Amino acid sequence: MPKTLILLFHPRYAQSRANRALVEAARPLPDVEIADMEALYPDGRVNADVEVARLIAADSIVFQFPVQWYATPPLLKTWQDAVLTRMFYIAYETEGAKLSGKPLLVVATAGNTCQAYAPDGANLFPLRDLLKPLRATAHRCDLAWAEPFLIYNAHKADDEALQAAAEHYVTRLGRLAAPASRGEAA
């Protein structure tokens, strides 16, 4: 069975209801590894050797995080600089090339409503547009971009909404892992 790697980047995971609901739903799945990057690297110093090995061993990759001021959390950018720069600019043949075709799913939670992420909304741009730097990264790394999994109004979602989102997440993870052998992203 293909292995799915979930890289969780949440600076305040203990206070998160939405990201915690997703992680708890994914945790019992077979062949899913969840790496809480903030817990692993509280000082912000990423061990590139460990992270490169983690990526190479995975069949599909998930970046999970809350959107903060229209961007990813700082540790995700630090991780990209340490890991992807090494893999794609320093050791492409021995490391970076090994990611070719693996699916990448971005899972992002936002505190505001979907309507706030519209041209006439408080945030001006659709959330998918704010994720374009990650899509460009996926393209540059030859990762298969999967349609992002987005949760809006994460701070105010009730237990029922979070349960439904968690069930949908498990389904998406299953679809992400399944096409890994066929070279397509879910």
Side-chain angles (χ1 to χ4, degrees), residues 108-123:
T109 58
N112 215 331
T113 64
C114 184
Q115 296 79 11
Y117 289 94
D120 60 344
N123 297 314

Side-chain angles (χ1 to χ4, degrees), residues 17-18 21 152-165:
R17 291 180 59 246
Y152 297 94
N153 216 21
H155 301 306
K156 297 176 184 159
D158 61 22
D159 291 344
E160 185 176 304
L162 292 177
Q163 178 63 34

Side-chain angles (χ1 to χ4, degrees), residues 58-80:
D59 294 306
S60 55
I61 302 160
V62 176
F63 290 165
Q64 183 178 328
F65 57 89
V67 173
Q68 300 178 313
W69 284 104
Y70 315 108
T72 63
L75 186 58
L76 177 49
K77 176 65 169 113
T78 298
W79 180 92
Q80 288 176 284

Side-chain angles (χ1 to χ4, degrees), residues 11-111:
R12 292 175 310 283
Y13 178 69
Q15 287 80 40
S16 171
R17 291 180 59 246
N19 277 280
R20 230 174 339 115
L22 299 179
V23 166
E24 292 310 312
R27 192 175 307 283
L29 297 175
D31 295 312
V32 169
E33 176 187 351
I34 301 167
D36 181 346
M37 305 308 279
E38 298 285 342
L40 291 170
Y41 305 112
D43 61 0
R45 290 192 296 218
V46 175
N47 183 331
D49 291 337
V50 168
E51 296 308 314
V52 166
R54 206 187 302 273
L55 286 175
I56 290 172
D59 294 306
S60 55
I61 302 160
V62 176
F63 290 165
Q64 183 178 328
F65 57 89
V67 173
Q68 300 178 313
W69 284 104
Y70 315 108
T72 63
L75 186 58
L76 177 49
K77 176 65 169 113
T78 298
W79 180 92
Q80 288 176 284
D81 290 345
V83 178
L84 299 181
T85 298
R86 170 181 153 170
M87 291 182 81
F88 289 90
Y89 290 103
I90 298 169
Y92 177 75
E93 294 299 324
T94 58
E95 295 177 357
K98 293 180 179 179
L99 296 188
S100 182
K102 293 183 182 188
L104 173 66
L105 173 64
V106 170
V107 177
T109 58

Side-chain angles (χ1 to χ4, degrees), residues 4 59-62 99-106 135 138-139 142-148 171-186:
T4 299
D59 294 306
S60 55
I61 302 160
V62 176
L99 296 188
S100 182
K102 293 183 182 188
L104 173 66
L105 173 64
V106 170
R135 188 167 189 178
H139 174 77
D142 197 27
L143 295 167
W145 180 257
E147 182 64 26
T171 300
R172 282 295 305 276
L173 291 174
R175 287 198 332 245
L176 184 70
S181 61
R182 297 191 309 264
E184 42 187 271

